[in-house]
Amino acid sequence: MSTAGKVIKCKAAVLWELKKPFSIEEVEVVPPKAYEVRIKMVATGICRSDDHVVTGNLSTPLPAILGHEGAGIVESIGEGVTAVKPGDKVIPLFTPQCGRCVVCKHPEANFCVKNDLTNPRGTMQDGTTRFTCRGKPIHNFVSTSTFSEYTVVDETAVVKIDAAAPLEKVCLIGCGFSTGFGSAVKVAKVTPGSTCAVFGLGGVGLSVIIGCKAARAARIIGVDINKDKYAKAKELGATECINPQDFQKPIHEVLTEMTGGGVDFSFEVIGRLDTMAEALSCCHEAYGVSVIVGVPPGSQNLSMDPMLLLTGRTWKGAIFGGFKSKDSVPKLVADFMANKFPLDPLITHVLPFQEINEGFGLLRSGKSIRTILTF
Ligand code: PAD
Ligand code: ZN
Ligand code: ZN
């Protein structure tokens, strides 16, 4: 029996309050309005950015259905939707691509003005939400809300992918993989033979390493306080790994000495102000490029000595690896299908969706890289 045009009752993980576990609830998901798409989720990854919402580091209106690294199948479409049809395999896009705004028209930029990150409303483009639970409206999260058996997204925030793609793997292209990989190949533009330092060896940091290796960097130094992360980092291309806690001096001094003056490219993939400063300082004073990938704690500032930039360093940052989401995600899926990069090493755990709190526990304890929740 078709569910198109009807309210769907299904399970979703609702975050009612900060610093509380997710609550698996029955929610109502209303049909998509014009230019909207309702998706049956098949798989979703757990990213540290979701956890940043739980801790309060990343602000978004609550109660909300989080999750932004998913893949699913179109259940129904609203009026006027042409980009996808029921049955299509799709990836929701937490950075939309409307195709019409000044950012979408810019050849390099990807942070479409329709994003819900800078001033999050936790709604669809029309300012309302498609979820209710126990009679209350429940907010969306960054245009996606993948921690639900069904979700509704704007047409600008979803893209069709190869019908043969394994959704329980390519969901990582919805965030972690693309963010890390793009930070290396598109934002930093890592060059052959270069030296790179990657601070933070989680799912996103390891994807930076995959990107540095693909760009044929000669030396890739992983930096993490959890030594359990080193084996995987080396398997994916790190040539050495170091722990800042093993040294008496700041890690940027260690890296500067190790590399005879500083690395060519550095990446902060943790989300801490102190490591952002260390990553900037460890790149070469005359030509180093440092990229901020980690999401910093909300409303905190970092003071820095402008001399660090005056001598020639470049300091950058990007959301979603600088990729224009609609243009890039289908191509990245095709590249994965053509074995151009791996995703399997990033997946350490697979759990049924109902065990979402266990999945977050694995992330917080440093035991997982990516946990995939399956529906
Ligand atoms: P993760 O928690 O899996 O990995 C972070 C890693 O950093 C872990 O291995 C930690 O052990 C390590 N770490 C923690 N503290 C330190 C420290 N003081 N020094 C060295 N290492 C440390 O997270 P993730 O890989 O899912 O995400 C990493 C960051 O990237 C996080 O802040 C997330 O919010 C952000 C992110 N940004 C975007 C974007 O579009 N820019 C997208 C996705 C994720
Ligand atoms: Zn993410
Ligand atoms: Zn746009």
Side-chain angles (χ1 to χ4, degrees):
M1 199 179 69
S2 169
T3 44
K6 296 178 186 151
V7 174
I8 293 179
K9 286 189 183 212
C10 66
K11 294 274 186 266
V14 177
L15 185 71
W16 293 99
E17 284 177 71
L18 294 183
K19 298 175 185 151
K20 290 278 158 60
F22 293 91
S23 169
I24 301 285
E25 305 271 1
E26 183 174 90
V27 298
E28 294 83 35
V29 186
V30 298
K33 295 191 179 175
Y35 305 107
E36 295 177 0
V37 177
R38 191 159 60 181
I39 303 167
K40 185 180 195 322
M41 296 307 304
V42 173
T44 179
I46 295 177
C47 173
R48 181 62 80 169
S49 303
D50 298 305
D51 190 48
H52 285 327
V53 175
V54 180
T55 61
N57 266 359
L58 181 62
S59 157
T60 196
L62 297 185
I65 296 175
L66 307 186
H68 62 281
E69 192 177 72
I73 295 171
V74 175
E75 174 270 337
S76 63
I77 55 175
E79 218 182 293
V81 171
T82 53
V84 296
K85 60 179 187 316
D88 283 349
K89 283 190 178 174
V90 290
I91 289 185
L93 308 168
F94 76 89
T95 306
Q97 187 182 345
C98 78
R100 289 185 294 273
C101 74
V102 62
V103 178
C104 286
K105 286 189 175 149
H106 189 284
E108 293 299 320
N110 75 329
F111 196 53
C112 172
V113 302
K114 300 284 185 189
N115 78 78
D116 200 35
L117 272 156
T118 325
N119 295 302
R121 297 185 300 168
T123 64
M124 307 294 291
Q125 289 298 335
D126 74 353
T128 62
T129 167
R130 302 292 164 267
F131 299 114
T132 52
C133 178
R134 302 193 217 165
K136 291 198 186 93
I138 306 293
H139 288 98
N140 302 41
F141 175 55
V142 290
S143 327
T144 49
S145 294
T146 61
F147 294 162
S148 176
E149 289 176 325
Y150 287 85
T151 189
V152 180
V153 301
D154 289 286
E155 191 181 15
T156 51
V158 61
V159 71
K160 180 181 174 176
I161 57 163
D162 186 340
L167 299 182
E168 72 290 355
K169 293 179 186 178
V170 298
C171 57
L172 295 183
I173 292 174
C175 182
F177 173 76
S178 309
T179 298
F181 187 77
S183 296
V185 304
K186 189 156 171 50
V187 183
K189 298 190 169 61
V190 168
T191 49
S194 61
T195 297
C196 302
V198 182
F199 288 66
L201 304 174
V204 186
L206 293 176
S207 302
V208 171
I209 290 180
I210 296 174
C212 294
K213 191 178 173 199
R216 290 183 288 127
R219 199 171 170 195
I220 304 170
I221 307 168
V223 182
D224 202 299
I225 50 173
N226 181 350
K227 292 188 177 188
D228 294 343
K229 307 273 174 140
Y230 298 172
K232 188 67 65 83
K234 287 181 181 165
E235 179 191 325
L236 289 170
T239 50
E240 59 229 277
C241 289
I242 56 173
N243 184 346
Q245 294 168 339
D246 288 347
F247 300 90
Q248 300 305 319
K249 53 184 158 190
I251 202 67
H252 76 265
E253 285 181 21
V254 175
L255 283 158
T256 304
E257 280 166 24
M258 278 171 75
T259 56
V263 302
D264 297 283
F265 302 98
S266 67
F267 301 86
E268 202 280 356
V269 208
I270 304 164
R272 294 175 57 97
L273 300 181
D274 57 348
T275 41
M276 287 175 186
E278 289 291 319
L280 174 64
S281 300
C282 84
C283 73
H284 195 282
E285 62 178 1
Y287 51 75
V289 175
S290 187
V291 181
I292 291 177
V293 186
V295 174
S299 29
Q300 287 186 26
N301 291 333
L302 179 58
S303 74
M304 53 85 69
D305 177 356
M307 274 309 285
L308 287 169
L309 300 185
L310 199 62
T311 57
R313 288 182 181 88
T314 303
W315 206 8
K316 316 179 77 171
I319 295 294
F320 198 54
F323 284 125
K324 285 185 187 288
S325 56
K326 266 203 192 205
D327 295 348
S328 306
V329 163
K331 287 185 197 152
L332 288 165
V333 170
D335 285 350
F336 168 71
M337 300 294 281
N339 288 318
K340 293 195 183 162
F341 57 79
L343 291 174
D344 289 45
L346 303 176
I347 302 170
T348 51
H349 300 77
V350 179
L351 292 176
F353 171 61
Q354 274 80 353
E355 291 175 34
I356 183 168
N357 288 311
E358 286 74 9
F360 274 79
L362 290 164
L363 175 71
R364 291 170 189 146
S365 64
K367 292 199 178 85
S368 61
I369 299 296
R370 275 301 195 257
T371 296
I372 306 294
L373 303 172
T374 54
F375 290 87

